């Protein structure tokens, strides 16, 4: 059964959230067909205690929208640096009437604030990457980078933090930044993507273990998979 399309260009996906139709984008297609599976969505839905969701590499907002469906989610902070994708993120937040719970931030996350060029692909927005080995054929866009000090200012509170990281090769830097956060002890779970072509999974796990994480569940196989790290 295909996702249900409304007459105004809005699609209700198999995940149950509304998104602005963007059929030329493979990432959007994956969101609509539930290609990303249920590991993170089920984990977010199962949370009973209050939490804040930190969505680093939010793209069009699928997981922020799913987190916000759980009444235990106090807030979601969604970081997306690419202008066109950020516009869709904001639109999707409004479509689902989550403006009061999801805060979109037009920036990438790294160790220090500044500007950088990101490689983008209009046919697959989820492949936008800051890594130097991004395809030469990809288009470039100047984006804002928010360092960990700036991120920390957005994370005020006491609730545990559940973080999703999907940044196409910048994961190790983001984990390093989070490890330096003054909110580090609030980090309860981190769901991150690994691609062995450009990700040092061992280095990420070692850094997270040093920060107090003890359980690492792997989802998928081969060179591309996800990890859920928990204390």
């Amino acid at each position: 059964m295909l996702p249900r399309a409304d007459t105004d260009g809005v699609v209700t996906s198999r995940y149950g959230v509304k998104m602005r139709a963007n059929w030329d984008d493979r990432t959007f297609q994956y969101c609509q067909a539930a290609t990303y599976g249920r590991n993170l969505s089920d984990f977010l839905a199962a949370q009973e205690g209050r939490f804040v969701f930190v969505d680093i590499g939010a793209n069009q907002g699928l997981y922020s929208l799913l987190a916000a469906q759980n009444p235990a989610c106090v807030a979601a902070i969604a970081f997306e640096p690419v202008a066109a994708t950020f516009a869709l993120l904001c639109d999707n937040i409004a479509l689902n009437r989550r403006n009061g719970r999801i805060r979109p931030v037009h920036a990438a996350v790294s160790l220090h604030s500044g500007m950088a060029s990101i490689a983008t692909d209009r046919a697959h927005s989820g492949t936008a990457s800051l890594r130097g080995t991004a395809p030469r054929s990809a288009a470039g866009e100047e984006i804002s980078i928010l360092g960990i000090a700036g991120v920390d200012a957005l994370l005020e509170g006491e609730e545990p933090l559940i973080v999703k990281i999907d940044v196409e090769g910048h994961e190790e830097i983001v984990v390093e930044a989070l490890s330096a956060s003054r909110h580090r002890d609030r980090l309860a779970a981190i769901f991150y993507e690994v691609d062995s072509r450009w990700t040092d999974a061992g280095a990420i796990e070692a850094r997270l273990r040093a920060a107090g994480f003890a359980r690492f569940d792997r989802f998928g196989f081969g060179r591309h998979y996800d990890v859920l790290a928990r204390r």
Side-chain angles (χ1 to χ4, degrees):
M1 180 178 177
L2 292 173
R4 186 174 71 254
D6 298 332
T7 57
D8 59 354
V10 177
V11 178
T12 300
S13 80
R14 288 179 176 170
Y15 288 108
V17 298
K18 293 182 178 182
M19 300 183 77
R20 180 66 62 192
N22 184 27
W23 289 111
D24 292 335
D25 176 33
R26 192 178 304 172
T27 304
F28 172 81
Q29 296 169 19
Y30 291 168
C31 290
Q32 299 316 303
T35 304
Y36 295 114
R38 301 283 178 177
N39 297 310
L40 180 54
S41 59
D42 287 351
F43 180 74
L44 293 170
Q47 300 305 306
E48 297 180 350
R50 287 162 58 88
F51 71 97
V52 171
F53 183 58
V54 184
D55 195 352
I56 302 176
N59 200 270
Q60 291 151 76
L62 172 65
Y63 285 109
S64 286
L65 296 171
L66 291 173
Q69 287 184 331
N70 186 338
C73 180
V74 175
I77 304 170
F79 296 89
E80 173 52 48
V82 178
T85 309
F86 181 76
L88 287 167
L89 166 65
C90 294
D91 201 5
N92 292 334
I93 292 171
L95 286 172
N96 290 271
R97 299 182 179 180
R98 298 298 184 187
N99 299 78
R101 187 171 294 185
I102 303 175
R103 177 173 182 175
V105 181
H106 190 193
V109 172
S110 195
L111 284 166
H112 307 288
S113 296
M115 300 293 293
S117 179
I118 192 169
T120 62
D121 184 348
R122 293 181 62 184
H124 197 347
S125 61
T127 63
S129 177
L130 284 166
R131 70 180 187 278
T133 56
R136 292 182 181 273
S137 60
E141 178 178 328
E142 286 295 305
I143 62 165
S144 295
I145 303 287
L146 193 61
I148 192 59
V151 174
D152 276 351
L154 300 174
L155 301 182
E156 296 300 338
E158 299 179 354
E159 294 84 4
L161 303 174
I162 297 176
V163 182
K164 185 217 82 182
I165 306 172
D166 186 354
V167 289
E168 300 300 307
H170 202 59
E171 286 82 5
E172 190 173 346
I173 298 298
V174 172
V175 168
E176 182 180 355
L178 292 173
S179 297
S181 169
R182 58 186 171 87
H183 300 289
R184 186 177 77 168
D185 292 342
R186 292 171 56 204
L187 295 168
I190 300 178
F191 189 92
Y192 59 94
E193 183 184 60
V194 170
D195 190 311
S196 61
R197 291 173 294 179
W198 48 70
T199 309
D200 188 337
I204 292 176
E205 180 172 330
R207 188 175 293 279
L208 289 175
R209 286 190 180 278
F213 287 80
R215 178 175 173 179
F216 294 81
D217 296 316
R218 175 171 169 167
F219 305 104
F221 54 90
R223 68 186 185 187
H224 193 105
Y225 56 92
D226 297 313
V227 177
L228 176 60
R230 286 176 274 185
R231 293 189 181 278

